[in-house]
Amino acid sequence: MGKGTDKLYITHSEWASEDAYGASAGSGVSKSKVPGASFKRLPFNFCAVSLQPFSHPVCTFEGTTFDLTNILPWLKKHGTNPVTGLPLKSNELIKLHYAKNDEGEMVDPVTFKVFTDNTHIVALKNTGNVFAYDTVERLNIKAKMWRDLVSDVEFSRKDIITLQDPQNIESRNLSSFKHIKDGVSTLTPEQELDRKDPSRNLNTSALGSAARVLKAKEAVAAARIARSPSDPNHNPTLLASKAFSQNPTNSTLASRSTGLAKSIPYNAAQHTTGKAAASFTSTGLTPHTSAERALLTDEEYMLKPRRVKQKGYARITTTHGDLNIELAPEFAPRAVWNFVQLAKKGYYDDVVFHRNIRNFMIQGGDPTGTGRGGQSIWGKNFIDEFEGPATHGERGVVSMANKGKNTNSSQFFITYRPAKHLDRKHTIFGKVVGGMDTLGRLEGLEVDEGQRPVEDVVMKTVVVFLDPFEEFQKQRRERNEAAMEREEVVRMGGTEDERMTWTGKRVRGDGKVMEEAGAEIGVGKYMKEKVTQGFEEAVDTVAAEWEQEVSGEPVKKKVKAGGGFGNFDSW
């Protein structure tokens, strides 16, 4: 049973050999004997050196495509074509110009057909423009019109370079590339350093508090390099740490994970961009591992309730007088923004009040004058805003007219009397603060059976005197400028005027505190005064004693009498 033996079993080496005994025996059965079974095709938009999609495509006269950022380091190091091994110079490369559609796909500039791995693609050597061969054959070769279809530059048949031919796929066979056969590395020195340094392959944004340790190690390594005058190339650990800290990507990730990155923008939303979740569930998206917060536009940021609290003011000039309106954007920012922006663009000019009900309200804001038209500044209806404390509890309340929930557009009404039944049904965004006599004249106008004034009441103009949103943006800009000035002062070391104690005393550059008259004060000022005073007294005493004449023996010290045993001299 065994191979060349009379054993009744097959050994492991016999079973694993490629020359097995039958069509269904041995591990070599699954191996294909077809020539070229190991064929791997390079996509048309990939670089032949890095085997990655190119961003700055160039090609040779033979039609091999490279990325300029990858082929230049190779030519500088080897000076050969990495695919064929023949000599190649940088001036022999031809820059390619691919046309793209709105989705970013590479297309033919004439027919706009999307290029695929099965498209016959050619380029013109003198212009670098890339076309589908079908286009060149039909419009240039057969028509004998030898001009570039994009730039109108004349060319000849020998200027046509084939980049991809689906009938000759051997030219894009990865297994035939010389640098792949020889196993030559195509990495740049920086990329090789990245591969060797394990810290470069870490996603520091997912390390949490461990990223602080890495950041501390980088700081220590950088400090050692700064202190050491010797060449850091002798210490690869320090060199790698320095390279890691100088990489903006890793530095950003590390600072983001430790919370030391730039502060959260003022217009950051409460939700993220959703890129991490979308890329996690879809293979068609580039992976994102950071939960970055989405950014709101200035309009979205200001239209949050309780953000813009400053009042606004506008005047409605009618055919019967003026009405001064106070706008309240704190709890109805969308309604105020809509009214202000429509007024600024002249939307309400020459618009009539189409509905007037005595002891109730007067309504307008519809350019058609029918009560069924009108459009908001966004071109669609916007939501109701009922969060504020305002109610329809007085005369002169300005509120949005609607035809149901969240159907606000451009129409508004002004009440003649309290209407509490309208609370939480219509958005209140202002009130009349001037022109109550005009409001009284409007209430007394004659109306027809449809509650429409017999004599048209026209809003001639609506003028916005104070836009609360512009004031809000102006104040925010001023605060930002002041903050930037303070940061600049701190960065430059601060100024003498800003360096003050909590009592208001100025601090000099040497750290001494100055009083108003210029006298110095400090923690030891009383000690200095005491020492000086004691020194002066000692000098006076010594001088007085020196002036006295020394005569006779010195006076003996009196022995203090007292009880006890004494000093035992008489024993």
Side-chain angles (χ1 to χ4, degrees):
M1 182 175 181
K3 182 178 180 181
T5 65
D6 56 354
K7 293 181 295 184
L8 300 179
Y9 58 89
I10 299 176
T11 64
H12 177 271
S13 59
E14 293 173 343
W15 176 263
S17 63
E18 295 185 1
D19 53 346
Y21 309 108
S24 60
S27 61
V29 177
S30 60
K31 293 189 176 181
S32 176
K33 305 299 181 181
V34 180
S38 60
F39 175 80
K40 293 183 179 179
R41 184 176 183 176
L42 181 69
F44 77 94
N45 60 337
F46 274 51
C47 172
V49 178
S50 63
L51 308 183
Q52 299 293 327
F54 54 66
S55 55
H56 303 87
V58 294
C59 75
T60 63
F61 295 151
E62 295 80 16
T64 307
T65 308
F66 303 104
D67 192 302
L68 187 63
T69 58
N70 295 320
I71 190 60
L72 289 181
W74 174 276
L75 295 178
K76 185 177 180 181
K77 184 177 181 180
H78 303 281
T80 60
N81 189 327
V83 175
T84 61
L86 300 177
L88 180 65
K89 297 181 180 180
S90 59
N91 56 6
E92 298 176 1
L93 299 175
I94 302 171
K95 185 177 180 181
L96 300 178
H97 303 284
Y98 279 90
K100 295 184 179 181
N101 56 15
D102 295 338
E103 287 74 20
E105 299 172 322
M106 297 180 184
V107 298
D108 182 274
V110 178
T111 62
F112 296 99
K113 289 184 179 180
V114 179
F115 290 155
T116 65
D117 290 336
N118 299 317
T119 306
H120 192 172
I121 305 174
V122 296
L124 301 184
K125 182 171 63 174
N126 54 347
T127 62
N129 294 326
V130 181
F131 302 91
Y133 180 75
D134 297 340
T135 302
V136 176
E137 182 183 23
R138 185 172 66 255
L139 300 179
N140 291 115
I141 299 176
K142 291 184 178 180
K144 296 182 180 181
M145 196 275 294
W146 300 100
R147 287 189 173 275
D148 192 310
L149 299 175
V150 174
S151 60
D152 200 31
V153 176
E154 187 175 356
F155 69 96
S156 61
R157 184 184 292 270
K158 64 180 181 180
D159 292 331
I160 301 176
I161 300 174
T162 301
L163 302 181
Q164 176 179 262
D165 186 0
Q167 303 299 327
N168 182 21
I169 59 177
E170 189 63 28
S171 61
R172 307 191 68 83
N173 186 5
L174 292 176
S175 59
S176 64
F177 289 2
K178 189 177 188 320
H179 70 287
I180 296 180
K181 287 181 179 180
D182 299 341
V184 181
S185 175
T186 60
L187 300 178
T188 62
E190 293 78 7
Q191 293 173 338
E192 292 179 356
L193 182 62
D194 293 347
R195 296 288 181 90
K196 294 179 181 179
D197 185 9
S199 61
R200 301 296 293 269
N201 300 323
L202 295 178
N203 183 9
T204 54
S205 62
L207 294 180
S209 59
R212 300 180 183 178
V213 179
L214 292 177
K215 189 173 182 63
K217 292 176 67 177
E218 296 166 14
V220 172
R224 288 177 179 174
I225 295 175
R227 289 197 305 266
S228 176
S230 60
D231 186 6
N233 291 328
H234 297 292
N235 192 339
T237 305
L238 296 181
L239 184 61
S241 300
K242 181 179 180 181
F244 178 79
S245 61
Q246 289 178 350
N247 189 355
T249 304
N250 292 329
S251 301
T252 303
L253 292 175
S255 60
R256 186 185 303 164
S257 61
T258 56
L260 298 178
K262 61 181 181 180
S263 58
I264 299 176
Y266 73 93
N267 57 343
Q270 297 297 326
H271 57 276
T272 64
T273 57
K275 292 182 179 180
S279 62
F280 180 75
T281 57
S282 174
T283 58
L285 298 177
T286 304
H288 290 269
T289 57
S290 60
E292 299 178 354
R293 295 173 66 175
L295 298 181
L296 303 175
T297 63
D298 288 342
E299 179 180 335
E300 293 173 339
Y301 175 74
M302 290 188 298
L303 296 188
K304 295 293 183 181
R306 299 182 178 88
R307 181 152 289 161
V308 180
K309 300 182 179 181
Q310 184 173 356
K311 304 289 186 180
Y313 294 93
R315 172 179 293 172
I316 302 176
T317 302
T318 70
T319 53
H320 292 72
D322 297 335
L323 295 173
N324 295 332
I325 308 297
E326 181 185 75
L327 306 173
E330 183 175 0
F331 296 103
R334 291 180 178 274
V336 175
W337 174 272
N338 178 68
F339 180 81
V340 169
Q341 299 303 319
L342 291 178
K344 284 185 174 181
K345 65 182 294 187
Y347 188 85
Y348 292 126
D349 294 352
D350 299 327
V351 175
V352 300
F353 285 99
H354 61 273
R355 190 181 182 196
N356 188 15
I357 304 177
R358 185 175 298 179
N359 293 328
F360 183 31
M361 60 85 191
I362 183 171
Q363 181 176 338
D366 177 13
T368 64
T370 61
R372 293 185 294 272
Q375 199 174 45
S376 71
I377 191 65
W378 300 284
K380 59 181 180 180
N381 297 335
F382 60 94
I383 62 174
D384 297 322
E385 297 168 301
F386 299 145
E387 295 185 12
T391 62
H392 298 83
E394 59 180 332
R395 179 182 176 89
V397 173
V398 184
S399 187
M400 293 299 301
N402 58 42
K403 50 187 177 182
K405 183 179 179 181
N406 298 329
T407 58
N408 301 290
S409 56
S410 65
Q411 297 188 36
F412 62 92
F413 63 88
I414 305 174
T415 60
Y416 290 140
R417 56 173 293 177
K420 302 291 289 185
H421 63 283
L422 300 179
D423 292 346
R424 305 196 64 81
K425 294 181 181 178
H426 296 268
T427 301
I428 301 173
F429 66 93
K431 64 180 180 179
V432 178
V433 294
M436 287 297 183
D437 54 341
T438 302
L439 195 63
R441 288 193 294 270
L442 294 177
E443 185 179 9
L445 293 176
E446 183 181 358
V447 296
D448 57 15
E449 296 179 355
Q451 306 297 336
R452 185 184 183 90
V454 176
E455 178 186 357
D456 286 343
V457 181
V458 182
M459 288 185 283
K460 296 181 179 179
T461 57
V462 178
V463 181
V464 179
F465 292 118
L466 179 61
D467 186 348
F469 301 101
E470 287 186 357
E471 292 297 320
F472 177 80
Q473 291 179 329
K474 179 181 177 181
Q475 294 174 4
R476 184 169 58 80
R477 284 194 299 268
E478 293 175 352
R479 289 195 299 267
N480 292 341
E481 293 174 358
M484 293 176 62
E485 292 178 358
R486 288 194 298 269
E487 291 177 0
E488 182 65 18
V489 168
V490 173
R491 189 181 66 83
M492 300 299 295
T495 60
E496 184 178 353
D497 294 337
E498 288 203 358
R499 300 185 61 193
M500 305 181 69
T501 65
W502 66 277
T503 58
K505 306 296 184 181
R506 291 170 54 188
V507 182
R508 294 195 321 188
D510 55 0
K512 296 181 180 180
V513 181
M514 302 292 296
E515 286 190 349
E516 288 77 0
E520 299 178 3
I521 61 175
V523 176
K525 72 169 187 174
Y526 300 106
M527 296 176 62
K528 292 180 182 179
E529 293 179 1
K530 186 65 177 178
V531 171
T532 304
Q533 182 179 0
F535 177 75
E536 293 176 354
E537 293 178 356
V539 171
D540 295 341
T541 304
V542 172
E545 291 179 355
W546 183 264
E547 292 174 358
Q548 293 179 0
E549 185 178 353
V550 180
S551 62
E553 298 179 357
V555 181
K556 293 184 177 181
K557 186 177 181 180
K558 294 182 179 181
V559 180
K560 184 178 180 181
F565 296 101
N567 56 4
F568 302 99
D569 291 342
S570 60
W571 283 35

